[in-house]
Amino acid sequence: MPANTSLFGDALRSAAGPWVEELGKSDQERLKILLGLAVTQRIRLSDCLTELFPSEEQRKAQTALTSFRKRLNDAAKGEGRADLGLRFHVDTKKQNPPAERFCWFTGPDPAITQATLFSERATSD
């Protein structure tokens, strides 16, 4: 599997297509919201909580995010198919308030993925 790198913006949205398809409807919507927030390498945790769980108080929203993150990462690993290599991470600075914490996505480097795909297609004859 190619080396993983931080993904955001168009590269993340492109890589996440198969990931979205692996999720239930409510998690699909939440992932789409996260993909929209991921315009830079890191997303402020407080923004994730506010956008994903607007009606929940902070502690419940954090618990809900932890469960959602597990479902996302489990779906990326997949059963009966290849691992997508995508992961959603949250920092471990649990003593800090959400405004001082971050989350991010990692996945296969798009350049390496494209080069590998090109090489496989070129040599498939």
Side-chain angles (χ1 to χ4, degrees), residues 23 25-38 43-57 60-69 71-72 88-90 103 105:
L23 300 169
K25 185 159 179 61
S26 61
D27 283 347
Q28 284 180 351
E29 294 304 316
R30 287 186 183 107
L31 179 55
K32 288 176 184 177
I33 291 169
L34 277 179
L35 296 176
L37 291 173
I43 309 163
R44 194 171 305 279
L45 180 61
S46 57
D47 294 341
C48 290
L49 297 174
T50 300
E51 293 296 320
L52 296 177
F53 308 101
S55 61
E56 299 291 341
E57 60 92 13
K60 285 186 177 182
Q62 285 180 289
T63 300
L65 182 65
T66 299
S67 296
F68 174 59
R69 182 169 58 97
R71 290 191 306 274
L72 274 181
F88 178 55
H89 305 272
V90 176
C103 47
F105 290 92

Side-chain angles (χ1 to χ4, degrees), residues 101-112:
R101 295 185 62 196
F102 294 93
C103 47
W104 63 94
F105 290 92
T106 60
D109 185 323
I112 293 172

